[in-house]
Every structure is written in C-alpha cells, then in structure tokens.
C-alpha cells in the first residue's frame, strides 16, 4: 500500500517489488522493459488488483503489472497508460489540479 504516481510516459503500470512480495504474490512471467536509466531490463511481472481506497474509483484487476524499485521516488506504484486507457485524465495547469474519472 502507498501512494501512486500518474506517469503518462509509462506504457505499463509498475508496482514496487517489495509491496508485491509483501502481499505474498508470485511472479507470473518476466518482461523486458526500458526505463529512463536503463534499456532492455528484465523485470518480473505480477497479476494483482489495484484499488484506490478513499476514492470512488473501482478496483482494477491487472494481469501484467511490472515489478520495479520505486521507494526512492516516494511512491509504491506508477500508473501507466495501460490503466489510463480506461480513464479520462484532465490536467488543469493554470488552476493546479487534476481529475481522473472512469
């Protein structure tokens, strides 16, 4: 559990590997991904359900969530375009807020 960062530059959602292991989940496969710091990195893939407590957003089951080391960013997950494809994201820069709706 923890905070998630919306990352419109990420094609796939990732969750910190310590969180996934702490939940007792086992990897279902391995994916080759590129990150800002490295290209073609092998990372485990997990199936899980992402939920958003305290919001009206419904839980979302995902068969492909990539494990990453995200704690250095201060978040537990990066919400990528694979989830954002099901949403409407509005960023209002002048007013300093954003809206995410399903």
């Amino acid at each position: 559990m923890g905070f998630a960062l919306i990352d419109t530059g990420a094609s796939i959602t990732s969750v910190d590997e310590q969180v996934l292991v702490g939940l007792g989940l086992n990897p279902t496969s391995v994916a080759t991904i590129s990150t800002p710091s490295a290209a073609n990195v092998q990372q485990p893939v997990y199936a899980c359900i992402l939920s958003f407590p305290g919001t009206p957003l419904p839980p979302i089951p995902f068969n492909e969530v990539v494990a990453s080391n995200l704690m250095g960013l201060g978040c537990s997950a990066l919400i990528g375009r694979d989830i954002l494809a099901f949403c409407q994201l509005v960023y209002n820069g002048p007013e300093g807020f954003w809206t995410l709706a399903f």
Side-chain angles (χ1 to χ4, degrees):
M1 291 181 56
F3 292 102
L5 177 69
I6 294 174
D7 187 351
T8 59
S11 59
I12 189 167
T13 295
S14 61
V15 175
D16 189 85
E17 190 164 20
Q18 291 179 1
V19 171
L20 295 165
V21 171
L23 292 170
L25 300 176
N26 295 312
T28 57
S29 64
V30 176
T32 302
I33 64 167
S34 294
T35 69
S37 60
N40 300 324
V41 178
Q42 296 275 316
Q43 291 294 117
V45 174
Y46 291 77
C48 66
I49 297 174
L50 299 177
S51 63
F52 307 91
T55 74
L57 300 174
I60 304 170
F62 267 84
N63 292 325
E64 293 186 354
V65 174
V66 174
S68 296
N69 182 5
L70 301 173
M71 290 302 181
L73 297 175
C75 63
S76 297
L78 293 178
I79 305 298
R81 292 189 313 270
D82 56 340
I83 289 180
L84 295 175
F86 297 100
C87 311
Q88 179 184 38
L89 172 64
V90 176
Y91 173 64
N92 186 329
E95 297 295 323
F97 70 87
W98 55 272
T99 305
L100 185 66
F102 281 84

